[in-house]
Amino acid sequence: MRAAIVALSCFLSLPASAAGPFGKIVVGNWSGGTFTNDQTGAFSHCAVSASYKSGVTMLTSVTAQFSWLLGFSKPDWKLRTGETLKLQLVFDRRSTIDVTANIKSPTLVTIAMPAQSALINAFRQGRYLELVANDARYTFALTSTGEMLPALVECVKQSANVRGPVSPGAPAQAQTPQPTEQERAARAEKKALLEKTRDLIRTKMLACIGREGAPMLLTDEKAEVVAKAAMLFCKGDVDALTNATIELIETEDGRPANRNAVRDAAEKRVQEVVTAHVIRSRGEMISKGQRPGNPAPSRPTDSGSRPSQSL
């Protein structure tokens, strides 16, 4: 167990090490937690490990930037630190992936596992993994990897503000330079312009939502269902608002952000705007005496006209 903790703590880089684990992750036979950089005290990564009868410990790690690593450690390995090693990973005896491992210590190798790659998908979905290096072959049961990977993602989301101890004699953490008055003014001006652009796009999108959602407005369908259906017909406007929201979020943060996380946040905001608009519009109609499931009689219209209701 001690060897596994040491491997987890130095999983990302050597010779710099990390403190932890803080908190605890337990999923199936995987266990680990949050780790911090012992030179700065800042959050470093979330990692878990699983031990096997072969004496090999398998490790998985993800950083705050959502960079994934897969690792293997064995106390009696005698590898040359700093070199690389060609390996084969065989999943369920039918899918072989050639990889290059980095030797982090005499007993530890790590393999980059990019998000959305064939490797991470096979690791998530596979039942068995064989590690092949020259004449050596190790077999691992991939227990609970489908649940473990999302648990690591959640760990990162919850650990951004975790602070760990700083080793005595470690160099002081560099201070983030404060923006000048001119830079603050430029950022404020850019933010104001982005907000105006976002509001114009939102107005256009909600007009489209009003047209497309009108036929479902006085039905018994949930507001979320009506919103999602209308958004499909107004995809161009929805995408434009999402992109404008992404740019605004990144401007507000004032620092580079994980693009996928920002997009998820922006899409959630847009969904909430549309759903709230549906609820408000439905409430206004109900207050006028119209009820879900009982639409008010419509006045005669031209056969080619659109529904008169709007959100």
Side-chain angles (χ1 to χ4, degrees), residues 206-222:
L206 290 179
C208 178
I209 294 293
R211 294 192 301 271
E212 301 301 337
M216 298 179 65
L217 192 60
L218 293 177
T219 68
D220 291 327
E221 292 288 357
K222 292 182 179 179

PDB file of all heavy atoms in Angstrom, residues 206-222:
ATOM      1  N   LEU A 206     -34.766  33.760 -28.748  1.00  0.00           N
ATOM      2  CA  LEU A 206     -36.042  33.589 -28.054  1.00  0.00           C
ATOM      3  C   LEU A 206     -37.221  33.854 -28.977  1.00  0.00           C
ATOM      4  O   LEU A 206     -38.295  33.270 -28.801  1.00  0.00           O
ATOM      5  CB  LEU A 206     -36.097  34.506 -26.831  1.00  0.00           C
ATOM      6  CG  LEU A 206     -35.161  34.118 -25.677  1.00  0.00           C
ATOM      7  CD1 LEU A 206     -35.268  35.105 -24.533  1.00  0.00           C
ATOM      8  CD2 LEU A 206     -35.448  32.702 -25.193  1.00  0.00           C
ATOM      9  N   ALA A 207     -37.038  34.725 -29.971  1.00  0.00           N
ATOM     10  CA  ALA A 207     -38.100  34.922 -30.958  1.00  0.00           C
ATOM     11  C   ALA A 207     -38.331  33.639 -31.746  1.00  0.00           C
ATOM     12  O   ALA A 207     -39.471  33.243 -32.005  1.00  0.00           O
ATOM     13  CB  ALA A 207     -37.727  36.071 -31.892  1.00  0.00           C
ATOM     14  N   CYS A 208     -37.241  32.985 -32.118  1.00  0.00           N
ATOM     15  CA  CYS A 208     -37.350  31.698 -32.822  1.00  0.00           C
ATOM     16  C   CYS A 208     -37.970  30.640 -31.913  1.00  0.00           C
ATOM     17  O   CYS A 208     -38.845  29.878 -32.329  1.00  0.00           O
ATOM     18  CB  CYS A 208     -35.970  31.260 -33.296  1.00  0.00           C
ATOM     19  SG  CYS A 208     -35.961  29.659 -34.142  1.00  0.00           S
ATOM     20  N   ILE A 209     -37.535  30.610 -30.658  1.00  0.00           N
ATOM     21  CA  ILE A 209     -38.088  29.658 -29.685  1.00  0.00           C
ATOM     22  C   ILE A 209     -39.587  29.877 -29.535  1.00  0.00           C
ATOM     23  O   ILE A 209     -40.381  28.931 -29.442  1.00  0.00           O
ATOM     24  CB  ILE A 209     -37.393  29.811 -28.319  1.00  0.00           C
ATOM     25  CG1 ILE A 209     -35.916  29.397 -28.405  1.00  0.00           C
ATOM     26  CG2 ILE A 209     -38.116  29.003 -27.241  1.00  0.00           C
ATOM     27  CD1 ILE A 209     -35.680  27.936 -28.671  1.00  0.00           C
ATOM     28  N   GLY A 210     -40.016  31.157 -29.546  1.00  0.00           N
ATOM     29  CA  GLY A 210     -41.438  31.468 -29.425  1.00  0.00           C
ATOM     30  C   GLY A 210     -42.254  30.900 -30.565  1.00  0.00           C
ATOM     31  O   GLY A 210     -43.355  30.375 -30.362  1.00  0.00           O
ATOM     32  N   ARG A 211     -41.702  30.990 -31.765  1.00  0.00           N
ATOM     33  CA  ARG A 211     -42.429  30.443 -32.920  1.00  0.00           C
ATOM     34  C   ARG A 211     -42.480  28.927 -32.885  1.00  0.00           C
ATOM     35  O   ARG A 211     -43.523  28.314 -33.092  1.00  0.00           O
ATOM     36  CB  ARG A 211     -41.769  30.910 -34.220  1.00  0.00           C
ATOM     37  CG  ARG A 211     -41.842  32.398 -34.481  1.00  0.00           C
ATOM     38  CD  ARG A 211     -41.431  32.724 -35.896  1.00  0.00           C
ATOM     39  NE  ARG A 211     -40.068  32.282 -36.187  1.00  0.00           N
ATOM     40  CZ  ARG A 211     -38.986  33.020 -35.980  1.00  0.00           C
ATOM     41  NH1 ARG A 211     -39.101  34.227 -35.465  1.00  0.00           N
ATOM     42  NH2 ARG A 211     -37.782  32.557 -36.296  1.00  0.00           N
ATOM     43  N   GLU A 212     -41.330  28.306 -32.625  1.00  0.00           N
ATOM     44  CA  GLU A 212     -41.250  26.854 -32.711  1.00  0.00           C
ATOM     45  C   GLU A 212     -41.863  26.152 -31.502  1.00  0.00           C
ATOM     46  O   GLU A 212     -42.313  25.019 -31.599  1.00  0.00           O
ATOM     47  CB  GLU A 212     -39.780  26.425 -32.871  1.00  0.00           C
ATOM     48  CG  GLU A 212     -39.084  26.986 -34.099  1.00  0.00           C
ATOM     49  CD  GLU A 212     -39.772  26.598 -35.393  1.00  0.00           C
ATOM     50  OE1 GLU A 212     -40.487  25.578 -35.407  1.00  0.00           O
ATOM     51  OE2 GLU A 212     -39.594  27.321 -36.393  1.00  0.00           O
ATOM     52  N   GLY A 213     -41.857  26.818 -30.336  1.00  0.00           N
ATOM     53  CA  GLY A 213     -42.399  26.188 -29.134  1.00  0.00           C
ATOM     54  C   GLY A 213     -43.880  26.413 -28.922  1.00  0.00           C
ATOM     55  O   GLY A 213     -44.492  25.772 -28.071  1.00  0.00           O
ATOM     56  N   ALA A 214     -44.471  27.333 -29.715  1.00  0.00           N
ATOM     57  CA  ALA A 214     -45.873  27.680 -29.518  1.00  0.00           C
ATOM     58  C   ALA A 214     -46.822  26.494 -29.581  1.00  0.00           C
ATOM     59  O   ALA A 214     -47.711  26.361 -28.729  1.00  0.00           O
ATOM     60  CB  ALA A 214     -46.279  28.748 -30.535  1.00  0.00           C
ATOM     61  N   PRO A 215     -46.676  25.581 -30.554  1.00  0.00           N
ATOM     62  CA  PRO A 215     -47.630  24.455 -30.621  1.00  0.00           C
ATOM     63  C   PRO A 215     -47.620  23.576 -29.366  1.00  0.00           C
ATOM     64  O   PRO A 215     -48.614  22.907 -29.088  1.00  0.00           O
ATOM     65  CB  PRO A 215     -47.155  23.671 -31.853  1.00  0.00           C
ATOM     66  CG  PRO A 215     -46.422  24.673 -32.688  1.00  0.00           C
ATOM     67  CD  PRO A 215     -45.753  25.578 -31.700  1.00  0.00           C
ATOM     68  N   MET A 216     -46.516  23.562 -28.611  1.00  0.00           N
ATOM     69  CA  MET A 216     -46.421  22.693 -27.436  1.00  0.00           C
ATOM     70  C   MET A 216     -46.661  23.447 -26.123  1.00  0.00           C
ATOM     71  O   MET A 216     -46.692  22.847 -25.059  1.00  0.00           O
ATOM     72  CB  MET A 216     -45.032  22.045 -27.371  1.00  0.00           C
ATOM     73  CG  MET A 216     -44.696  21.152 -28.534  1.00  0.00           C
ATOM     74  SD  MET A 216     -43.024  20.467 -28.390  1.00  0.00           S
ATOM     75  CE  MET A 216     -43.184  19.433 -26.928  1.00  0.00           C
ATOM     76  N   LEU A 217     -46.827  24.766 -26.216  1.00  0.00           N
ATOM     77  CA  LEU A 217     -46.844  25.586 -25.011  1.00  0.00           C
ATOM     78  C   LEU A 217     -47.990  25.233 -24.067  1.00  0.00           C
ATOM     79  O   LEU A 217     -47.815  25.204 -22.844  1.00  0.00           O
ATOM     80  CB  LEU A 217     -46.920  27.065 -25.394  1.00  0.00           C
ATOM     81  CG  LEU A 217     -46.658  28.045 -24.266  1.00  0.00           C
ATOM     82  CD1 LEU A 217     -45.270  27.842 -23.690  1.00  0.00           C
ATOM     83  CD2 LEU A 217     -46.828  29.480 -24.751  1.00  0.00           C
ATOM     84  N   LEU A 218     -49.163  24.954 -24.603  1.00  0.00           N
ATOM     85  CA  LEU A 218     -50.327  24.677 -23.764  1.00  0.00           C
ATOM     86  C   LEU A 218     -50.633  23.187 -23.661  1.00  0.00           C
ATOM     87  O   LEU A 218     -51.749  22.796 -23.364  1.00  0.00           O
ATOM     88  CB  LEU A 218     -51.548  25.436 -24.301  1.00  0.00           C
ATOM     89  CG  LEU A 218     -51.435  26.960 -24.167  1.00  0.00           C
ATOM     90  CD1 LEU A 218     -52.634  27.642 -24.778  1.00  0.00           C
ATOM     91  CD2 LEU A 218     -51.275  27.354 -22.708  1.00  0.00           C
ATOM     92  N   THR A 219     -49.631  22.363 -23.901  1.00  0.00           N
ATOM     93  CA  THR A 219     -49.778  20.932 -23.675  1.00  0.00           C
ATOM     94  C   THR A 219     -49.323  20.593 -22.272  1.00  0.00           C
ATOM     95  O   THR A 219     -48.899  21.456 -21.508  1.00  0.00           O
ATOM     96  CB  THR A 219     -48.943  20.133 -24.693  1.00  0.00           C
ATOM     97  OG1 THR A 219     -47.557  20.361 -24.419  1.00  0.00           O
ATOM     98  CG2 THR A 219     -49.269  20.559 -26.121  1.00  0.00           C
ATOM     99  N   ASP A 220     -49.375  19.316 -21.907  1.00  0.00           N
ATOM    100  CA  ASP A 220     -48.932  18.864 -20.591  1.00  0.00           C
ATOM    101  C   ASP A 220     -47.436  18.552 -20.545  1.00  0.00           C
ATOM    102  O   ASP A 220     -46.929  18.083 -19.522  1.00  0.00           O
ATOM    103  CB  ASP A 220     -49.717  17.608 -20.165  1.00  0.00           C
ATOM    104  CG  ASP A 220     -51.183  17.935 -19.865  1.00  0.00           C
ATOM    105  OD1 ASP A 220     -51.424  19.053 -19.390  1.00  0.00           O
ATOM    106  OD2 ASP A 220     -52.042  17.087 -20.120  1.00  0.00           O
ATOM    107  N   GLU A 221     -46.732  18.772 -21.644  1.00  0.00           N
ATOM    108  CA  GLU A 221     -45.301  18.478 -21.662  1.00  0.00           C
ATOM    109  C   GLU A 221     -44.560  19.374 -20.673  1.00  0.00           C
ATOM    110  O   GLU A 221     -44.909  20.537 -20.478  1.00  0.00           O
ATOM    111  CB  GLU A 221     -44.733  18.701 -23.070  1.00  0.00           C
ATOM    112  CG  GLU A 221     -45.220  17.713 -24.106  1.00  0.00           C
ATOM    113  CD  GLU A 221     -44.620  16.332 -23.923  1.00  0.00           C
ATOM    114  OE1 GLU A 221     -43.776  16.159 -23.017  1.00  0.00           O
ATOM    115  OE2 GLU A 221     -44.990  15.416 -24.684  1.00  0.00           O
ATOM    116  N   LYS A 222     -43.514  18.826 -20.055  1.00  0.00           N
ATOM    117  CA  LYS A 222     -42.709  19.608 -19.120  1.00  0.00           C
ATOM    118  C   LYS A 222     -42.007  20.742 -19.869  1.00  0.00           C
ATOM    119  O   LYS A 222     -41.720  20.643 -21.052  1.00  0.00           O
ATOM    120  CB  LYS A 222     -41.673  18.724 -18.435  1.00  0.00           C
ATOM    121  CG  LYS A 222     -42.272  17.688 -17.491  1.00  0.00           C
ATOM    122  CD  LYS A 222     -41.169  16.882 -16.814  1.00  0.00           C
ATOM    123  CE  LYS A 222     -41.751  15.866 -15.840  1.00  0.00           C
ATOM    124  NZ  LYS A 222     -40.688  15.063 -15.182  1.00  0.00           N
TER     125      LYS A 222
END
